[in-house]
Amino acid sequence: MTKKKVLAVDDDRDILLLLRYNLEREGYECLTAESGQEGLEKARRQKPDLVILDVMLPERDGFEVCRMLKSEAATRAVRVLMLTA
């Protein structure tokens, strides 16, 4: 059985490390990105099952990334969970 893939996008490395640790401990494959643009590119290439997305990000904010993912046929079905302070 293949692992479900989760992409965590946050500009705070400590949060990314915490998310990665807990997701991998639960059996998920975890990808990370530190900016909206990097997250968008990884989502397009890697086709994750879920994107955990911060709102306040460099380059492109989380709302813009989410809009772009939902507007493209290849990533429209990817679930997005907004994680913000």
Side-chain angles (χ1 to χ4, degrees):
M1 186 166 106
T2 62
K3 291 182 179 183
K4 295 286 186 179
K5 193 180 310 182
V6 177
L7 170 60
V9 185
D10 200 303
D11 59 336
D12 185 325
R13 286 188 179 166
D14 291 335
I15 291 174
L16 287 178
L17 288 172
L18 182 65
L19 287 168
R20 177 183 290 241
Y21 172 79
N22 284 292
L23 288 165
E24 288 179 347
R25 203 173 105 199
E26 293 300 319
Y28 295 93
E29 177 183 350
C30 186
L31 310 167
T32 60
E34 293 185 27
S35 72
Q37 183 62 38
E38 181 186 7
L40 186 59
E41 290 168 4
K42 281 191 176 181
R44 287 172 173 158
R45 278 194 319 269
Q46 300 289 328
K47 307 291 188 294
D49 298 289
L50 172 70
V51 175
I52 300 176
L53 188 57
D54 188 19
V55 173
M56 300 298 292
L57 293 166
E59 297 174 9
R60 296 180 186 272
D61 69 29
F63 294 120
E64 184 180 358
V65 172
C66 185
R67 275 192 297 273
M68 294 181 80
L69 290 173
K70 295 301 178 178
S71 71
E72 298 173 13
T75 54
R76 185 171 293 137
V78 173
R79 291 174 173 86
V80 177
L81 174 70
M82 301 300 281
L83 178 69
T84 184

